[in-house]
Structures are given as structure tokens and as C-alpha cells.
């Protein structure tokens, strides 16, 4: 064993207080977070070395807007500010995380009060609005989604230049026939009609040729 190594060295590459800050944030232990922030305000925007999350990411994940308001008050009083656009290891901002978990009040606060950038993309190339499962017009507009986004069921499928495919001619005929009360022809009936038409045309041509 190396005699020069300190006996109190930790295998975690964080200071004890910073490690506690990260653990309490992940657990949603907000009274402890308030106390730690009062002791050391420099913890505010520290990022976890594994996930890249700040405490604001964890607040966005847990979705308690009261926590954001309470901590935000202390942050403002200390003359500091959240790094609202901090990116995790996956390139996700707190706004991405709030959208993924559907926390609308957090989304409103991040955008309206803290001016989060709605245009930032994560490493998957997605903006926050593309993670929404509940696509209410208000939240879509708040996140800068294109107008057609509310009409598209699949998340993230509204790409630039996207247009709904046109129905084929045969499909339109089938639909119009069904809507008018007529039963669509079966394959056998269509073949029969085709043959009948061909025979009739043949005799017509023979008749004209004779006269």
C-alpha cells in the first residue's frame, strides 16, 4: 500500500459537499439542497461527472415548480443565476428534461422566467418540443414548435418539408365507392368486366368491318 496516499481519499472524484449536493438533487431532497446552497453558493451550477446534470436538471426531472421558485429566490438574492441552458452528457438541457417528463409548470418557468433557449438540440438532434407526449397548443407554441406539430402523432416526425402522402387513384376510387353505398368490385368481378368489355369491343369492330 502506498504510504503517501491519504487515508481519507474518496474513490469518487468530487469533494464531499459536492457529492452530497449531487446525491440530494438526484433524490429530490430539497430541504437539504436549500441548506447546502446557503452554505456554499458555488454548488449551484456544478455538473455531475457521470450524467452532466445540474441541480436544475434534477428539479426539471422531479417537476416541482415550488422548488424552482424557492431555490430561484435564493439564487436571485445571492446575485447569481442558473445556467439554464447547461447540457447533460446527452446534450439535454433542463428544458429537454422537463418536456420528456411532461412537467408543464416547469416548462413555463424555464421559458418565461429564466429565458431557456427552446431551439437547442440534444445529441439525438431533437428540440425540447419533440419530446412532448401531451401536445397542448399552449406548450407547443411556448416551445416554438411548428404549427403542424399538433397534428402529428409520432414524436419528432415533423421535419422540414414534410407533407402527408397523397392517396393513390385506386384507393380514392375505392373510398368514394364505399361512401356512395356501392360495394367495391372484387378481383374476379373486375376480371369479368374486363373480359366482357374486350369481347364487346371485338364484335363491334367486326360489325363495322363487315358493313
Amino acid at each position: 500500500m502506498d504510504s503517501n496516499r491519504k487515508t481519507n481519499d474518496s474513490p469518487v472524484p468530487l469533494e464531499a459537499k459536492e457529492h452530497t449536493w449531487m446525491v440530494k438533487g438526484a433524490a429530490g431532497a430539497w430541504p437539504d439542497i436549500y441548506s447546502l446552497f446557503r452554505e456554499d453558493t458555488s454548488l449551484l451550477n456544478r455538473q455531475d461527472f457521470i450524467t452532466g446534470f445540474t441541480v436544475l436538471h434534477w428539479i426539471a426531472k422531479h417537476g416541482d415548480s415550488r422548488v424552482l421558485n424557492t431555490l430561484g429566490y435564493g439564487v436571485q438574492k445571492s446575485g447569481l443565476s442558473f445556467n439554464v441552458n447547461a447540457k447533460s452528457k446527452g446534450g439535454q438541457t433542463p428544458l429537454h428534461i422537463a418536456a420528456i417528463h411532461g412537467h408543464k409548470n416547469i416548462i413555463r418557468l424555464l421559458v418565461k422566467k429564466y429565458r431557456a433557449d427552446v431551439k437547442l438540440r440534444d445529441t439525438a438532434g431533437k428540440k425540447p418540443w419533440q419530446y412532448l407526449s401531451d401536445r397542448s397548443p399552449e406548450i407547443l407554441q411556448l416551445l416554438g414548435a411548428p404549427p403542424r406539430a399538433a397534428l402529428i402523432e409520432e414524436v419528432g416526425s415533423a421535419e422540414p418539408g414534410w407533407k402527408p402522402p397523397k392517396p393513390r387513384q385506386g384507393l380514392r376510387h375505392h373510398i368514394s365507392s364505399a361512401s356512395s353505398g356501392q360495394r367495391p368490385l372484387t378481383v374476379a368481378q373486375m376480371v369479368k368486366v374486363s373480359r366482357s368489355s374486350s369481347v364487346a369491343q371485338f364484335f363491334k369492330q367486326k360489325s363495322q368491318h363487315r358493313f
Side-chain angles (χ1 to χ4, degrees), residues 158-211:
E159 296 298 330
W162 180 89
K163 292 181 180 180
K166 294 181 179 180
R168 291 178 296 178
Q169 184 68 29
L171 182 60
R172 283 203 302 267
H173 176 73
H174 177 84
I175 294 173
S176 61
S177 298
S179 62
S180 62
Q182 299 177 0
R183 294 179 61 184
L185 296 176
T186 64
V187 174
Q189 288 171 331
M190 286 190 290
V191 171
K192 183 177 180 180
V193 169
S194 178
R195 288 178 177 174
S196 300
S197 300
S198 300
V199 172
Q201 185 65 23
F202 172 77
F203 281 111
K204 182 178 180 181
Q205 291 174 352
K206 294 284 287 183
S207 176
Q208 290 175 349
H209 179 71
R210 182 180 304 172
F211 289 101

Coordinates of all heavy atoms in Angstrom, one line a residue, residues 158-211:
A158 N -42.1 15.6 -37.4 CA -42.4 16.8 -38.2 C -41.1 17.5 -38.7 O -40.6 18.4 -38.1 CB -43.2 17.8 -37.4
E159 N -40.6 17.0 -39.8 CA -39.3 17.5 -40.3 C -39.6 18.6 -41.3 O -40.7 18.6 -41.9 CB -38.5 16.4 -40.9 CG -38.0 15.4 -39.8 CD -37.2 16.0 -38.8 OE1 -36.4 16.9 -39.1 OE2 -37.2 15.5 -37.6
P160 N -38.7 19.5 -41.6 CA -38.9 20.5 -42.7 C -39.2 19.8 -44.0 O -38.6 18.9 -44.4 CB -37.5 21.2 -42.7 CG -36.9 21.0 -41.4 CD -37.4 19.6 -40.9
G161 N -40.3 20.4 -44.6 CA -40.7 19.9 -46.0 C -41.6 18.7 -45.9 O -42.0 18.1 -46.9
W162 N -42.0 18.3 -44.7 CA -42.9 17.1 -44.5 C -44.2 17.4 -45.1 O -44.8 18.5 -44.8 CB -43.0 16.7 -43.1 CG -43.8 15.5 -42.9 CD1 -43.5 14.2 -42.9 CD2 -45.3 15.5 -42.6 NE1 -44.5 13.4 -42.6 CE2 -45.6 14.1 -42.5 CE3 -46.2 16.5 -42.4 CZ2 -47.0 13.8 -42.2 CZ3 -47.5 16.1 -42.2 CH2 -47.9 14.8 -42.0
K163 N -44.8 16.5 -45.9 CA -46.1 16.6 -46.4 C -46.8 15.3 -46.3 O -46.2 14.2 -46.5 CB -46.1 17.1 -47.9 CG -45.6 18.5 -48.1 CD -45.7 18.9 -49.6 CE -45.2 20.3 -49.8 NZ -45.2 20.6 -51.2
P164 N -48.1 15.3 -46.0 CA -48.8 14.0 -45.9 C -48.9 13.3 -47.3 O -49.0 14.0 -48.3 CB -50.3 14.4 -45.5 CG -50.4 15.8 -45.8 CD -49.0 16.4 -45.7
P165 N -48.7 12.0 -47.4 CA -48.7 11.3 -48.7 C -50.0 11.4 -49.4 O -51.1 11.3 -48.7 CB -48.3 9.9 -48.3 CG -48.7 9.7 -46.9 CD -48.5 11.1 -46.3
K166 N -50.0 11.5 -50.7 CA -51.3 11.6 -51.5 C -51.8 10.2 -51.7 O -51.1 9.3 -51.9 CB -51.0 12.2 -52.8 CG -50.7 13.7 -52.8 CD -50.5 14.2 -54.2 CE -50.1 15.7 -54.1 NZ -49.9 16.3 -55.4
P167 N -53.1 10.0 -51.5 CA -53.7 8.6 -51.7 C -53.6 8.3 -53.2 O -53.7 9.1 -54.1 CB -55.2 8.8 -51.2 CG -55.4 10.3 -51.4 CD -54.1 11.0 -51.1
R168 N -53.4 7.0 -53.5 CA -53.4 6.5 -54.8 C -54.8 6.6 -55.5 O -55.8 6.6 -54.8 CB -52.9 5.1 -54.9 CG -51.4 5.0 -54.5 CD -50.9 3.5 -54.5 NE -51.7 2.8 -53.4 CZ -51.5 1.5 -53.3 NH1 -50.6 0.8 -54.0 NH2 -52.2 0.8 -52.3
Q169 N -54.8 6.6 -56.8 CA -56.0 6.8 -57.6 C -57.0 5.7 -57.3 O -58.2 5.9 -57.0 CB -55.7 6.8 -59.1 CG -56.9 7.1 -60.0 CD -57.4 8.5 -59.8 OE1 -56.7 9.4 -59.5 NE2 -58.7 8.7 -60.0
G170 N -56.5 4.4 -57.2 CA -57.3 3.3 -56.9 C -57.9 3.4 -55.6 O -59.1 3.0 -55.3
L171 N -57.1 3.9 -54.6 CA -57.6 4.0 -53.2 C -58.7 5.0 -53.1 O -59.7 4.8 -52.4 CB -56.5 4.4 -52.3 CG -56.8 4.5 -50.8 CD1 -57.3 3.1 -50.3 CD2 -55.6 4.9 -50.0
R172 N -58.6 6.2 -53.8 CA -59.6 7.2 -53.8 C -60.9 6.6 -54.4 O -62.0 6.9 -53.9 CB -59.2 8.4 -54.6 CG -58.2 9.3 -53.9 CD -58.2 10.7 -54.4 NE -57.9 10.7 -55.8 CZ -56.6 10.9 -56.3 NH1 -55.6 11.0 -55.5 NH2 -56.4 10.9 -57.6
H173 N -60.8 5.8 -55.5 CA -62.0 5.2 -56.1 C -62.7 4.3 -55.2 O -63.9 4.2 -55.0 CB -61.6 4.5 -57.4 CG -62.7 3.8 -58.1 ND1 -63.7 4.5 -58.7 CD2 -63.0 2.5 -58.1 CE1 -64.6 3.6 -59.2 NE2 -64.2 2.4 -58.8
H174 N -61.8 3.5 -54.5 CA -62.4 2.5 -53.5 C -63.1 3.3 -52.4 O -64.2 2.9 -52.0 CB -61.2 1.7 -52.9 CG -61.7 0.7 -51.9 ND1 -62.2 -0.5 -52.2 CD2 -61.7 0.8 -50.5 CE1 -62.5 -1.1 -51.1 NE2 -62.3 -0.3 -50.1
I175 N -62.5 4.3 -51.9 CA -63.2 5.1 -50.8 C -64.5 5.8 -51.3 O -65.5 5.7 -50.6 CB -62.2 6.1 -50.2 CG1 -61.0 5.4 -49.6 CG2 -62.9 7.1 -49.2 CD1 -59.9 6.3 -49.2
S176 N -64.4 6.4 -52.5 CA -65.6 7.1 -53.0 C -66.7 6.1 -53.2 O -67.9 6.4 -53.0 CB -65.3 7.9 -54.2 OG -64.8 7.0 -55.3
S177 N -66.4 4.9 -53.7 CA -67.4 3.9 -54.0 C -68.1 3.4 -52.7 O -69.3 3.3 -52.6 CB -66.8 2.7 -54.7 OG -66.3 3.1 -55.9
A178 N -67.2 3.3 -51.6 CA -67.7 2.8 -50.4 C -68.6 3.9 -49.7 O -69.7 3.6 -49.1 CB -66.6 2.5 -49.4
S179 N -68.2 5.2 -49.9 CA -69.0 6.2 -49.3 C -70.3 6.5 -50.0 O -71.3 7.0 -49.4 CB -68.2 7.5 -49.2 OG -67.9 7.9 -50.6
S180 N -70.4 6.1 -51.3 CA -71.6 6.3 -52.0 C -72.6 5.1 -51.9 O -73.7 5.1 -52.5 CB -71.3 6.5 -53.5 OG -70.7 5.3 -54.0
G181 N -72.2 4.1 -51.1 CA -73.1 3.0 -50.9 C -72.9 1.9 -51.8 O -73.6 0.8 -51.7
Q182 N -72.0 2.0 -52.8 CA -71.8 0.9 -53.7 C -70.7 0.0 -53.2 O -69.7 0.5 -52.7 CB -71.3 1.5 -55.1 CG -72.3 2.4 -55.7 CD -71.8 3.0 -57.0 OE1 -70.7 2.8 -57.4 NE2 -72.6 3.8 -57.7
R183 N -70.9 -1.3 -53.4 CA -69.8 -2.2 -52.9 C -68.7 -2.3 -53.9 O -68.9 -2.4 -55.2 CB -70.5 -3.6 -52.8 CG -71.5 -3.7 -51.7 CD -72.1 -5.1 -51.6 NE -71.1 -6.1 -51.3 CZ -71.3 -7.4 -51.3 NH1 -72.5 -7.9 -51.6 NH2 -70.3 -8.2 -51.0
P184 N -67.5 -2.1 -53.5 CA -66.4 -2.2 -54.5 C -66.3 -3.5 -55.1 O -66.6 -4.6 -54.6 CB -65.1 -1.9 -53.5 CG -65.6 -2.4 -52.2 CD -67.0 -2.0 -52.1
L185 N -65.8 -3.5 -56.4 CA -65.7 -4.8 -57.2 C -64.6 -5.7 -56.6 O -63.6 -5.2 -56.2 CB -65.4 -4.4 -58.6 CG -66.4 -3.7 -59.4 CD1 -65.9 -3.3 -60.8 CD2 -67.7 -4.4 -59.5
T186 N -64.9 -6.9 -56.6 CA -63.8 -7.9 -56.3 C -62.9 -8.1 -57.4 O -63.2 -7.6 -58.6 CB -64.4 -9.2 -55.9 OG1 -65.1 -9.8 -57.0 CG2 -65.4 -9.1 -54.7
V187 N -61.8 -8.8 -57.2 CA -60.8 -9.0 -58.3 C -61.5 -9.8 -59.4 O -61.3 -9.6 -60.6 CB -59.6 -9.8 -57.8 CG1 -58.7 -10.2 -58.9 CG2 -58.8 -8.9 -56.8
A188 N -62.2 -10.9 -59.0 CA -62.9 -11.7 -60.0 C -63.9 -10.9 -60.9 O -64.0 -11.1 -62.1 CB -63.6 -12.9 -59.3
Q189 N -64.6 -10.0 -60.2 CA -65.6 -9.2 -60.9 C -64.9 -8.2 -61.9 O -65.4 -8.0 -63.0 CB -66.5 -8.4 -59.9 CG -67.5 -9.3 -59.2 CD -68.2 -8.5 -58.1 OE1 -67.6 -7.6 -57.5 NE2 -69.4 -8.9 -57.7
M190 N -63.8 -7.7 -61.5 CA -63.1 -6.8 -62.3 C -62.5 -7.5 -63.5 O -62.6 -7.0 -64.7 CB -61.9 -6.1 -61.5 CG -62.4 -5.0 -60.5 SD -61.1 -4.1 -59.8 CE -60.3 -5.3 -58.8
V191 N -62.1 -8.7 -63.4 CA -61.6 -9.5 -64.5 C -62.7 -9.8 -65.4 O -62.6 -9.7 -66.7 CB -60.9 -10.8 -64.0 CG1 -60.6 -11.7 -65.2 CG2 -59.6 -10.5 -63.2
K192 N -63.9 -10.2 -64.9 CA -65.0 -10.5 -65.7 C -65.5 -9.3 -66.5 O -65.8 -9.4 -67.7 CB -66.2 -10.9 -64.8 CG -67.4 -11.4 -65.5 CD -68.5 -11.9 -64.6 CE -69.7 -12.4 -65.3 NZ -70.8 -12.9 -64.4
V193 N -65.5 -8.1 -65.9 CA -65.9 -6.9 -66.6 C -64.9 -6.6 -67.7 O -65.3 -6.2 -68.8 CB -66.0 -5.7 -65.6 CG1 -66.1 -4.4 -66.3 CG2 -67.2 -5.9 -64.6
S194 N -63.6 -6.8 -67.4 CA -62.6 -6.5 -68.4 C -62.8 -7.4 -69.6 O -62.7 -7.0 -70.7 CB -61.2 -6.7 -67.7 OG -60.2 -6.5 -68.7
R195 N -63.0 -8.7 -69.3 CA -63.2 -9.6 -70.4 C -64.5 -9.3 -71.3 O -64.5 -9.3 -72.5 CB -63.3 -11.1 -69.9 CG -62.0 -11.6 -69.4 CD -62.2 -13.0 -68.8 NE -60.9 -13.5 -68.4 CZ -60.8 -14.7 -67.7 NH1 -61.9 -15.4 -67.4 NH2 -59.6 -15.1 -67.4
S196 N -65.6 -9.0 -70.6 CA -66.8 -8.6 -71.2 C -66.6 -7.4 -72.1 O -67.1 -7.4 -73.3 CB -67.9 -8.4 -70.2 OG -68.2 -9.5 -69.4
S197 N -65.9 -6.4 -71.6 CA -65.6 -5.2 -72.4 C -64.8 -5.6 -73.6 O -65.1 -5.0 -74.7 CB -64.9 -4.2 -71.6 OG -65.7 -3.9 -70.4
S198 N -63.8 -6.5 -73.5 CA -63.0 -6.8 -74.6 C -63.8 -7.6 -75.7 O -63.6 -7.3 -76.9 CB -61.8 -7.7 -74.1 OG -61.1 -7.0 -73.2
V199 N -64.6 -8.5 -75.3 CA -65.5 -9.2 -76.2 C -66.4 -8.3 -77.0 O -66.6 -8.4 -78.2 CB -66.2 -10.3 -75.5 CG1 -67.3 -11.0 -76.5 CG2 -65.3 -11.4 -75.0
A200 N -67.1 -7.4 -76.2 CA -68.0 -6.4 -76.9 C -67.3 -5.6 -77.9 O -67.8 -5.3 -79.0 CB -68.6 -5.6 -75.8
Q201 N -66.1 -5.1 -77.5 CA -65.3 -4.3 -78.4 C -64.9 -5.1 -79.7 O -64.9 -4.5 -80.8 CB -64.0 -3.8 -77.7 CG -63.2 -2.8 -78.5 CD -63.9 -1.5 -78.8 OE1 -64.9 -1.1 -78.0 NE2 -63.6 -0.8 -79.8
F202 N -64.6 -6.4 -79.5 CA -64.2 -7.2 -80.7 C -65.3 -7.3 -81.7 O -65.2 -7.1 -82.9 CB -63.8 -8.6 -80.2 CG -63.6 -9.6 -81.2 CD1 -62.4 -9.6 -82.0 CD2 -64.5 -10.6 -81.6 CE1 -62.2 -10.5 -83.0 CE2 -64.3 -11.5 -82.6 CZ -63.1 -11.4 -83.3
F203 N -66.6 -7.6 -81.2 CA -67.7 -7.8 -82.1 C -68.1 -6.4 -82.7 O -68.5 -6.4 -83.9 CB -68.9 -8.3 -81.3 CG -68.8 -9.8 -81.1 CD1 -68.6 -10.4 -79.9 CD2 -68.9 -10.7 -82.2 CE1 -68.5 -11.7 -79.7 CE2 -68.8 -12.1 -82.1 CZ -68.6 -12.6 -80.8
K204 N -67.9 -5.4 -82.0 CA -68.2 -4.0 -82.6 C -67.3 -3.8 -83.8 O -67.7 -3.3 -84.8 CB -68.0 -3.0 -81.5 CG -68.4 -1.6 -82.0 CD -68.2 -0.6 -80.8 CE -68.6 0.8 -81.3 NZ -68.4 1.8 -80.2
Q205 N -66.0 -4.1 -83.6 CA -65.0 -3.9 -84.7 C -65.4 -4.8 -85.9 O -65.3 -4.4 -87.0 CB -63.6 -4.2 -84.2 CG -63.1 -3.1 -83.2 CD -61.8 -3.5 -82.6 OE1 -61.3 -4.6 -82.8 NE2 -61.2 -2.6 -81.8
K206 N -65.7 -6.0 -85.6 CA -66.1 -7.0 -86.7 C -67.3 -6.5 -87.4 O -67.3 -6.5 -88.7 CB -66.4 -8.4 -86.1 CG -65.1 -9.0 -85.5 CD -64.2 -9.6 -86.6 CE -64.8 -10.8 -87.2 NZ -63.9 -11.4 -88.2
S207 N -68.3 -6.0 -86.7 CA -69.5 -5.5 -87.3 C -69.2 -4.3 -88.2 O -69.7 -4.2 -89.4 CB -70.5 -5.1 -86.3 OG -71.7 -4.6 -86.9
Q208 N -68.4 -3.4 -87.8 CA -68.1 -2.2 -88.6 C -67.3 -2.6 -89.8 O -67.5 -2.1 -90.9 CB -67.3 -1.2 -87.7 CG -68.1 -0.6 -86.6 CD -67.2 0.3 -85.7 OE1 -66.0 0.2 -85.8 NE2 -67.9 1.1 -84.9
H209 N -66.4 -3.6 -89.7 CA -65.6 -4.0 -90.8 C -66.5 -4.7 -91.9 O -66.3 -4.5 -93.1 CB -64.6 -5.0 -90.3 CG -63.7 -5.6 -91.4 ND1 -62.8 -4.8 -92.0 CD2 -63.7 -6.8 -92.0 CE1 -62.2 -5.5 -93.0 NE2 -62.7 -6.8 -93.0
R210 N -67.5 -5.4 -91.5 CA -68.4 -6.1 -92.4 C -69.2 -5.1 -93.3 O -69.3 -5.3 -94.5 CB -69.3 -7.1 -91.6 CG -70.2 -7.9 -92.6 CD -71.1 -8.8 -91.7 NE -70.3 -9.6 -90.8 CZ -70.9 -10.4 -89.9 NH1 -72.2 -10.4 -89.7 NH2 -70.1 -11.2 -89.2
F211 N -69.7 -4.1 -92.6 CA -70.5 -3.1 -93.3 C -69.6 -2.1 -94.1 O -70.1 -1.5 -95.0 CB -71.5 -2.4 -92.4 CG -72.6 -3.3 -91.9 CD1 -72.6 -3.9 -90.7 CD2 -73.7 -3.6 -92.8 CE1 -73.6 -4.7 -90.2 CE2 -74.7 -4.5 -92.3 CZ -74.6 -5.0 -91.1

